[in-house]
Amino acid sequence: MATPSHRRSLRKRRTLVVSAAVAAAGLGTSLLVMNANAEAVDLFHQTLAAKDGWASSGTGTTGGAKADAAHTFTVSTRAQLVKALGSASDTTPRIIKVKGTIDANTDDAGKKLTCADYASGTGYSLSAYLKAFDPASYGTSKLPSGTQETARAAAQGKQAKNIVFKVPANTSVVGVPGTKAGITGGMLQIQNVDNVVVRNLTFAATEDCFPQWDPTDGDDGNWNSNYDSVTLRGASHVWADHNTFTDAPHLDSANPKYYGREYQIHDGALDITKGSDLVTVSRNQFTNHDKTMLIGSSDTDSVGKLRVSIHHNVWKGIVQRAPLARIGQIHIYNNHYDVTTLNGYATQYSINSRAKAQVVAQNNYWTVPSGGKVAKLLSGDGTGSVAGSGNLVNGTATDVVAAYNAASSKDLKTTVNWTPTLTAELESSAKNLPTSLGSTTGAGVLK
């Protein structure tokens, strides 16, 4: 089956597709879509197609398509982006065109900011922090508290004020084609708002200067960081499409160890938590990252929400959480998972279903290197479900759930309590996904 067009509109009117040669190829990377009245729909006004995953449910996802000229912005600096976003409580439709790469770690004048700049005036220093909370003297039974922890939190707060961008409802944030559009070092926070589109952007190097030591996390403690590249918290009707997520240029292999544990400065790539709902994640590339996508922030996150569709994405050099799903109804289809170790990122698992999550994993393709174990492609806690069909491993039809259950003491359940219906983009075979998705996913493809 040819790869469906990427350039879509929710408009119910009959559409005419210009450029027959491209349409015949099924790639759609440089199309203009016109309705019957010959009204052109450009990249920045495009909306999610009908029945394209959970985000098309109900009112659908249109982002800022209705923005007027006064609320259409082109931005190329952090200060311009902040101004264009405006107040997170302003629901006026807006389109934000990102031209080039925006460095979040800059001040309003464009001057580069470093971790030392954020720490300045807080009293924090890493050496003092390490001395204060050395498990040999501080112990391992309680979280850090006291002067240096207070200073660390203050420094982290200064960084957050600079790099966290709060997205209002009815907003489209879209990269301008041909400009290497993206955000480096920053986080888009989509919180308690409805109807947001994020497309054609590269999110790179989202880093926490001030990870917190938690000696109670796991058997040996862990360093925990604070920022996702894109985070959904209580958000609804969100479409994340044709983006690229990466840790580059600072990869985890360059992280030092303190107290014998990796000093982790990266958190999630795209997390969907705290009762977020009706989300479609399509045609993105996730690469060079550890904890990639979390659906549900805890085992007690919102029942009846966390409905997410994940399709036609490429996952390569991902350690875990592709995704980790809790509670919700999640449809994962037509994705390509390459679990070959890349730049030190070695896969632990791809999909984790836990806390009674209801996952349908359909027509996905796994590329597994020689010696790789199919039983490690999935994970769970014994309460989550994965109903799988049409999945291929190295081109061969494989029951990945049965392979996991045969090797696990906590079986994944094999039936779910729902049937996906918003499946306009579903391809009936995964056979060609490694080839077709290689050139049609991620930032920089749309024109």
Side-chain angles (χ1 to χ4, degrees):
M1 178 180 292
T3 305
S5 170
H6 309 163
R7 308 291 301 279
R8 303 179 293 273
S9 170
L10 263 180
R11 301 172 188 271
K12 295 182 179 180
R13 295 186 292 269
R14 179 172 54 90
T15 61
L16 300 175
V17 179
V18 180
S19 182
V22 177
L27 299 179
T29 57
S30 59
L31 302 185
L32 280 177
V33 177
M34 294 186 178
N35 61 33
N37 298 319
E39 176 188 352
V41 181
D42 62 47
L43 174 64
F44 307 103
H45 290 83
Q46 285 170 11
T47 60
L48 182 63
K51 295 187 177 181
D52 187 355
W54 274 117
S56 67
S57 181
T59 55
T61 301
T62 60
K66 294 182 179 179
D68 59 21
H71 292 90
T72 301
F73 310 90
T74 299
V75 301
S76 57
T77 68
R78 174 192 161 276
Q80 290 171 351
L81 175 58
V82 170
K83 183 177 180 181
L85 288 168
S87 170
S89 62
D90 184 353
T91 61
T92 306
R94 70 192 62 223
I95 292 172
I96 300 174
K97 306 176 183 180
V98 177
K99 186 176 182 180
T101 302
I102 293 175
D103 188 346
N105 289 295
T106 52
D107 65 15
D108 289 344
K111 178 184 176 182
K112 179 68 177 176
L113 297 176
T114 67
C115 295
D117 292 315
Y118 298 128
S120 178
T122 67
Y124 172 85
S125 78
L126 178 58
S127 60
Y129 190 89
L130 292 173
K131 182 178 180 180
F133 303 113
D134 187 333
S137 55
Y138 185 78
T140 60
S141 62
K142 58 182 179 179
L143 286 169
S145 64
T147 302
Q148 270 303 302
E149 172 56 20
T150 299
R152 185 206 64 80
Q156 190 177 67
K158 288 178 65 176
Q159 185 183 14
K161 186 177 181 180
N162 214 74
I163 72 169
V164 176
F165 304 107
K166 298 179 180 180
V167 181
N170 306 316
T171 296
S172 293
V173 186
V174 183
V176 176
T179 69
K180 297 183 178 179
I183 298 173
T184 182
M187 178 172 86
L188 286 187
Q189 179 175 296
I190 306 170
Q191 181 168 336
N192 298 328
V193 297
D194 180 72
N195 193 29
V196 173
V197 172
V198 180
R199 302 183 79 197
N200 204 39
L201 296 168
T202 293
F203 295 93
T206 304
E207 299 170 5
D208 188 346
C209 286
F210 312 102
Q212 182 187 38
W213 171 244
D214 183 354
T216 70
D217 184 354
D219 295 335
D220 302 307
N222 273 304
W223 292 96
N224 294 316
S225 54
N226 202 40
Y227 310 110
D228 310 320
S229 293
V230 177
T231 189
L232 279 57
R233 301 172 183 173
S236 57
H237 289 109
V238 178
W239 180 30
D241 175 73
H242 276 99
N243 302 295
T244 296
F245 297 84
T246 178
D247 288 349
H250 181 108
L251 305 179
D252 279 355
S253 57
N255 290 340
K257 289 186 176 181
Y258 301 118
Y259 310 148
R261 302 295 290 163
E262 181 183 350
Y263 190 68
Q264 180 57 266
I265 61 174
H266 303 116
D267 195 11
L270 171 57
D271 280 4
I272 303 165
T273 62
K274 298 187 181 300
S276 291
D277 198 24
L278 304 178
V279 178
T280 296
V281 180
S282 58
R283 304 187 188 279
N284 302 281
Q285 288 196 9
F286 298 92
T287 185
N288 293 315
H289 195 81
D290 185 354
K291 300 174 182 178
T292 305
M293 181 183 294
L294 181 64
I295 300 176
S297 52
S298 73
D299 289 356
T300 57
D301 208 320
S302 303
V303 174
K305 296 187 177 182
L306 299 170
R307 291 173 290 180
V308 182
S309 297
I310 303 168
H311 71 82
H312 292 92
N313 301 283
V314 173
W315 313 76
K316 187 174 183 177
I318 297 305
V319 177
Q320 58 182 316
R321 301 186 182 180
L324 184 156
R326 292 183 171 107
I327 300 171
Q329 296 175 336
I330 297 97
H331 194 194
I332 304 171
Y333 54 101
N334 296 146
N335 296 278
H336 179 212
Y337 294 92
D338 187 340
V339 299
T340 308
T341 297
L342 178 67
N343 296 322
Y345 293 89
T347 300
Q348 294 178 6
Y349 65 83
S350 297
I351 300 169
N352 184 315
S353 180
R354 59 195 306 107
K356 299 182 180 180
Q358 302 289 301
V359 175
V360 176
Q362 190 173 12
N363 301 348
N364 300 288
Y365 191 110
W366 273 270
T367 296
V368 178
S370 176
K373 295 182 179 181
V374 177
K376 291 189 174 182
L377 300 180
L378 304 181
S379 185
D381 66 349
T383 71
S385 300
V386 176
S389 64
N391 296 301
L392 305 182
V393 175
N394 295 337
T396 300
T398 304
D399 188 337
V400 292
V401 178
Y404 169 80
N405 285 347
S408 173
S409 60
K410 296 181 178 180
D411 284 1
L412 287 164
K413 300 181 185 303
T414 58
T415 59
V416 295
N417 61 9
W418 70 293
T419 300
T421 58
L422 302 171
T423 56
E425 294 294 295
L426 177 63
E427 296 184 58
S428 60
S429 173
K431 181 179 178 181
N432 295 322
L433 292 176
T435 300
S436 64
L437 298 186
S439 60
T440 60
T441 55
V445 172
L446 298 176
K447 305 296 184 184

